[in-house]
Amino acid sequence: MPINPDNLLKRIKEEAWARSFPLEDDFLTHLMEWIEEQILSDFLDEITRQVDEIIEIDPDLPEPRILERATRHLVDSLDAHSASVRIYDPQTAQMLSYGSYPFDEEQRETYIPLDGSIAGEVLKTRLPCLVPDILLEDRYHNKNVIYRKGVHSLMAIPLEIPRFFPRERDTVGVIQIYFAERGHHFSPVAIKMANLMAKRLSFVIARRKILSMQRANEKKEAIIEHIFHAVGTRGGIKMKEIFNRVIPELADMVNLQSSALFSVSEDYESVYLEAGFPGDGGYHSIGKKIYFDGAPAFEVLLNLREYSRTTSSEVISPSYLLVVDPQRSDLLSPDLKKFAALNNINSILYVPLKDDEEVTHFMTFDAIDQRKRYSDDEIDIFVFLGRELVKAQKMERLDDTLHDFKNPAIAIAGFARRLKKLVEQGESPFSNEQIKRYADILVQETSRIQELGLSIYKVGEEQEVNLANVVQKRFEINREAIREQLKQNIVLKKGPFEPNLKVRCFPIHLERVLDNLLNNATKAIPLKGGELSIRTYSEGRWACADITNTGHVSDEDQMRLLGDEGEGRGLYITYRIIRLLKGEIEIIRGKDTTTFSVRLPLFKEQHVEP
């Protein structure tokens, strides 16, 4: 027998009610044996069944659904009316609504304070709290629950889910079990049963965490695999392509509705939509520019403004910004709120991507559910993806730079050979002039290669540049590249040039655009030969440069190129830089020619009156 019969018999005899019954010891002994064999066995079977129901909850379910199933079992086993769960949120120091049975989350208060509440007291003491009459309990503030649900009594028990790693916090919360009748009798067995089932719930969460960690590692491996695959492709690594490949694999893990990748302008005045998931049938307008004016979320994300308010509508941390309720949050502009309502977006997660503490991009994750909290595993995946995308961005920048080394390197080799030949021939008035000219070109092009190398680290300074002069210089360098590559039957034509076309930019950016366009135009000329020509002119507020070559592109190729989907690295670089310069590019097809027309904002000096 689990309990010593002699001790139990002694305890029974000491009870006041037992003294009025003249029962023999033999009878009590037989009674206890019968209870053990006939009652306790069934009782333990029932306890085991109820505990097993908790332990066998599917760990693949989201945490709120696991807690919903657990509260359902508690309600059934205790013959209660309903039950709910609140989890302590360290970000706001409040108790967060996190599951209920029957499901009633839309009607419940999102947060309740830690201090002065029943849930807060249970959390602090780690002891059950019994409320026979909610109407008389000052610590239960929302008395509407009595009339809305028809409940009058409450048992609140602590919920503790131990952490897995030292860097984590224990997850702590409270399960509140409601009963319809006023003055409900809370038996010791019912209290212990509720505590036991709450403790066993932690096993389910632990199993879920193990599965989640396994899937997270698989997702991380998939992210790295996509990056390595991109490194080996002909077009090279492209940050937005990595995003487009990886996000669909994460969607099933975190139940995403949609996601987007934004790049931040260098002047921190706007963001540019680089990529979006889903690609087909989604609401993302790839290429759209959004200005910060009236969008506080962007400014907070980029540390351009302080936001010290703590509300139930948003969660702000160094790693992410979560807008729990878009319609109530002060961080969204009226236009973004309207967009969220139109597309049934009920929470938005922002994850910044930092390069040396500078936010260059950020990701957004939209959810149909009002996500009041993301798990540590989910946040870990997003942050990991962000770090890998930053690495991809650096590799992309390096890949771009290596691509653009080609033209100046070819030109340097050609001019160096000619310079050597002139030096070997000896002095003459003509050779001295040519030596000086070639030496100047070598200095310019080696300096350009140096700038290309430094551009990987964003070193440079915007300057006023004469577009016509830069176009002619790059045309001469391309002429040398054509000669070095032994291309035949290409006729080069220059002009006309409008002389005073000033633009403000990083000179190396403009040079890279022109080099890539000239290189692509040269390669597009048919084998039988043709023409390559350049000209500059002004058109309204634009400074324009046209590069025309014999040969043409198909309608399909034109759409792909203008959609920033060209296979070649050069055009991809060109479109990104043109966008950075706030310019435009157009493809104009003639009968047998193709013209790439580049338009950049015309710079006009502002004269200050003396």
Side-chain angles (χ1 to χ4, degrees):
M1 193 172 188
I3 302 174
N4 186 298
D6 293 334
N7 290 337
L8 184 57
L9 187 61
K10 183 179 179 182
R11 287 181 59 186
I12 292 175
K13 287 181 176 181
E14 291 174 352
E15 293 291 327
W17 60 266
R19 293 172 190 161
S20 61
F21 296 97
L23 301 176
E24 299 294 334
D25 290 351
D26 288 344
F27 173 78
L28 292 175
T29 301
H30 286 300
L31 177 63
M32 287 183 291
E33 289 175 353
W34 180 83
I35 290 173
E36 179 182 14
E37 293 174 1
Q38 303 297 325
I39 306 298
L40 282 182
S41 177
D42 292 343
F43 177 69
L44 290 175
D45 284 344
E46 180 63 18
I47 290 177
T48 303
R49 183 189 65 79
Q50 292 178 10
V51 170
D52 285 346
E53 284 182 343
I54 297 287
I55 293 176
E56 291 172 3
I57 294 175
D58 184 0
D60 276 333
L61 293 171
E63 278 188 12
R65 297 305 173 206
I66 290 176
L67 296 174
E68 181 186 341
R69 296 280 180 90
T71 52
R72 186 189 73 187
H73 292 310
L74 276 166
V75 168
D76 291 344
S77 64
L78 299 176
D79 196 22
H81 177 278
S82 56
S84 62
V85 179
R86 288 196 177 274
I87 299 293
Y88 176 65
D89 179 14
Q91 295 284 348
T92 60
Q94 292 180 316
M95 302 297 293
L96 170 66
S97 175
Y98 210 64
S100 61
Y101 176 80
F103 187 79
D104 192 28
E105 294 302 283
E106 294 180 359
Q107 300 292 329
R108 300 176 64 211
E109 293 180 83
T110 303
Y111 290 93
I112 62 171
L114 183 66
D115 295 326
S117 66
I118 290 175
E121 180 178 323
V122 172
L123 189 72
K124 292 175 182 176
T125 63
R126 301 292 201 274
L127 296 172
C129 180
L130 308 176
V131 182
D133 193 335
I134 298 175
L135 194 60
L136 301 178
E137 178 56 66
D138 293 336
R139 294 169 298 176
Y140 200 99
H141 304 289
N142 183 17
K143 297 295 194 298
N144 290 331
V145 69
I146 298 172
Y147 309 106
R148 181 169 59 83
K149 287 186 174 183
V151 295
H152 294 85
S153 302
L154 167 66
M155 177 198 299
I157 56 174
L159 172 65
E160 300 181 58
I161 303 170
R163 60 186 175 180
F164 262 45
F165 304 105
R167 64 180 176 83
E168 292 182 321
R169 291 189 180 95
D170 292 338
T171 299
V172 292
V174 177
I175 300 177
Q176 300 185 158
I177 306 164
Y178 295 91
F179 298 86
E181 67 270 23
R182 182 181 284 106
H184 179 83
H185 172 65
F186 302 102
S187 70
V189 171
I191 297 170
K192 290 186 182 299
M193 276 293 299
N195 269 309
L196 175 63
M197 295 174 77
K199 285 181 169 63
R200 293 303 171 262
L201 178 57
S202 65
F203 287 100
V204 183
I205 303 297
R207 287 171 60 201
R208 184 184 187 280
K209 185 163 287 190
I210 291 170
L211 290 174
S212 180
M213 288 166 56
Q214 180 183 352
R215 293 194 181 99
N217 287 333
E218 290 173 355
K219 298 300 183 185
K220 290 177 181 179
E221 290 175 5
I223 291 170
I224 295 172
E225 184 178 339
H226 281 301
I227 291 176
F228 275 103
H229 175 75
V231 170
T233 59
R234 177 176 173 270
I237 193 167
K238 298 177 182 178
M239 185 181 187
K240 71 173 188 177
E241 289 184 1
I242 298 296
F243 178 87
N244 287 335
R245 290 176 183 174
V246 171
I247 289 298
E249 292 195 19
L250 299 184
D252 64 326
M253 180 180 176
V254 292
N255 194 24
L256 285 182
Q257 174 183 356
S258 62
S259 182
L261 173 67
F262 292 87
S263 61
V264 182
S265 65
E266 290 195 353
D267 56 14
Y268 268 37
E269 292 182 356
S270 61
V271 296
Y272 185 86
L273 183 55
E274 293 274 2
F277 167 82
D280 298 324
Y283 43 69
H284 298 294
S285 301
I286 307 302
K288 183 178 181 180
K289 181 183 286 187
I290 303 173
Y291 287 93
F292 286 168
D293 186 29
F298 296 158
E299 296 177 344
V300 171
L301 197 68
L302 302 176
N303 298 316
L304 298 179
R305 62 179 285 183
E306 293 290 334
Y307 188 80
S308 56
R309 289 186 60 200
T310 300
T311 75
S312 61
S313 299
E314 56 269 325
V315 177
I316 300 175
S317 82
S319 302
Y320 65 92
L321 186 161
L322 173 60
V323 177
V324 175
D325 189 340
Q327 301 310 317
R328 293 184 179 181
S329 175
D330 293 335
L331 292 178
L332 297 192
S333 66
D335 287 343
L336 280 176
K337 290 184 178 182
K338 183 177 179 181
F339 178 82
L342 184 65
N343 293 284
N344 195 26
I345 300 172
N346 293 303
S347 68
I348 308 171
L349 177 70
Y350 296 86
V351 178
L353 310 186
K354 297 181 180 180
D355 183 2
D356 295 329
E357 298 305 314
E358 179 185 357
V359 178
T360 59
H361 295 74
F362 62 84
M363 299 179 290
T364 63
F365 301 92
D366 304 332
I368 295 176
D369 296 335
Q370 195 171 86
R371 295 293 298 264
K372 302 179 181 68
R373 176 176 175 264
Y374 278 84
S375 70
D376 292 339
D377 292 329
E378 290 171 332
I379 293 296
D380 185 50
I381 278 288
F382 294 139
V383 172
F384 178 83
L385 173 59
R387 286 198 299 265
E388 294 305 310
L389 285 177
V390 169
K391 292 177 186 176
Q393 180 192 23
K394 291 180 178 179
M395 294 170 72
E396 179 179 349
R397 203 181 298 153
L398 177 61
D399 206 5
D400 291 352
T401 302
L402 291 174
H403 174 278
D404 288 352
F405 266 61
K406 180 172 59 179
N407 268 25
I410 291 173
I412 287 171
F415 283 116
R417 278 193 290 270
R418 289 193 215 169
L419 182 59
K420 181 182 179 183
K421 188 175 180 180
L422 286 173
V423 171
E424 289 174 347
Q425 289 175 350
E427 292 189 12
S428 71
F430 175 75
S431 66
N432 285 339
E433 184 179 335
Q434 285 293 90
I435 287 172
K436 185 177 182 302
R437 178 171 172 267
Y438 290 161
D440 287 340
I441 291 174
L442 288 174
V443 169
Q444 292 170 6
E445 291 309 292
T446 51
S447 298
R448 173 166 153 68
I449 285 180
Q450 182 184 41
E451 289 178 11
L452 278 170
L454 292 174
S455 71
I456 298 173
Y457 304 98
K458 297 186 177 181
V459 176
E461 192 173 300
E462 283 193 338
Q463 301 175 20
E464 296 170 27
V465 178
N466 187 308
L467 179 61
N469 290 347
V470 177
V471 168
Q472 291 181 73
K473 286 181 181 178
R474 302 328 301 169
F475 192 73
E476 288 302 316
I477 297 301
N478 192 66
R479 180 200 298 272
E480 187 59 30
I482 291 172
R483 183 178 298 170
E484 286 295 311
Q485 295 174 67
L486 304 177
K487 291 184 178 290
Q488 304 295 320
N489 303 322
I490 296 180
V491 178
L492 302 177
K493 292 188 176 180
K494 297 194 299 183
F497 299 107
E498 188 168 329
N500 194 30
L501 292 178
K502 294 287 185 69
V503 296
R504 185 169 180 81
C505 64
F506 294 93
I508 194 165
H509 285 162
L510 181 56
E511 292 169 353
R512 292 176 73 177
V513 166
L514 295 172
D515 278 357
N516 277 307
L517 290 178
L518 286 166
N519 183 49
N520 279 291
T522 301
K523 290 192 294 186
I525 295 173
L527 290 175
K528 64 182 180 180
E531 288 187 357
L532 176 65
S533 64
I534 57 168
R535 71 183 183 114
T536 63
Y537 57 96
S538 61
E539 189 177 271
R541 63 187 184 91
W542 300 105
C544 307
D546 285 357
I547 297 173
T548 303
N549 62 273
T550 303
H552 62 83
V553 296
S554 65
D555 291 334
E556 181 181 355
D557 287 343
Q558 180 172 337
M559 291 300 294
R560 288 174 65 228
L561 292 174
L562 291 178
D564 191 10
E565 297 177 3
E567 292 183 3
R569 192 76 191 171
L571 285 172
Y572 177 72
I573 297 168
T574 299
Y575 279 104
R576 285 176 46 231
I577 295 178
I578 287 291
R579 190 178 72 221
L580 184 67
L581 298 178
K582 299 181 175 64
E584 296 177 355
I585 188 167
E586 182 182 5
I587 300 176
I588 303 169
R589 291 192 299 169
K591 183 178 180 181
D592 296 309
T593 62
T594 300
T595 299
F596 280 84
S597 182
V598 176
R599 291 190 289 273
L600 300 174
L602 193 61
F603 178 76
K604 294 183 179 179
E605 296 185 33
Q606 296 181 351
H607 297 285
V608 180
E609 295 293 333

